[in-house]
Amino acid sequence: QVQLVESGGGLVQAGGSLRLSCTASGSIDLYRWYRQAPGKQRELVAAMSRAGGTYYVDSVKGRFTISRDNAKNTVYLQMNSLKPEDTAVYYCNAQQGATLNYWGQGTQVTVSS
């Protein structure tokens, strides 16, 4: 069983930046960041494989950057040029192999206009 600990959320003005971190208690193959805004479905925001392949949802391309430090079992989400519509609870998801999947506790990101 892998534990995930997230940090880095908070309140920021539009145009500002935040960096989220998620540290796993074991080695991870695929990291994903999801977010869920009130009244909306959970949305995949970004993903990064062990080999370094990345995915971004269109709405964050050019503003968010996902990165990982395999030695620290940590994934980061650098969020720049934040918009009020980025307000959500952000969740880290970590996958080992094809089927083992773990979730972080979530961290609130609030962007004021």
Side-chain angles (χ1 to χ4, degrees):
Q1 184 78 9
V2 170
Q3 306 296 322
L4 301 178
V5 177
E6 298 182 38
S7 61
L11 172 64
V12 65
Q13 288 189 330
S17 298
L18 285 173
R19 189 176 82 154
L20 306 183
S21 300
C22 172
T23 298
S25 58
S27 179
I28 300 299
D29 296 311
L30 176 65
Y31 285 107
R32 301 180 183 94
W33 285 100
Y34 286 82
R35 66 186 178 187
Q36 188 164 21
K40 294 189 176 182
Q41 289 189 330
R42 192 169 293 192
E43 173 187 44
L44 175 61
V45 176
M48 190 169 193
S49 69
R50 181 183 293 280
T54 58
Y55 162 85
Y56 297 95
V57 69
D58 284 347
S59 59
V60 308
K61 285 180 180 177
R63 301 188 298 121
F64 291 11
T65 302
I66 189 170
S67 61
R68 60 188 288 168
D69 184 334
N70 292 328
K72 296 181 179 179
N73 294 330
T74 298
V75 63
Y76 305 96
L77 186 66
Q78 178 67 42
M79 305 185 293
N80 298 328
S81 303
L82 283 161
K83 305 176 180 180
E85 51 264 44
D86 294 318
T87 295
V89 178
Y90 283 71
Y91 295 93
C92 174
N93 173 272
Q95 183 173 323
Q96 291 179 321
T99 59
L100 295 177
N101 218 278
Y102 307 98
W103 289 91
Q105 79 278 12
T107 186
Q108 177 70 47
V109 171
T110 303
V111 184
S112 63
S113 56

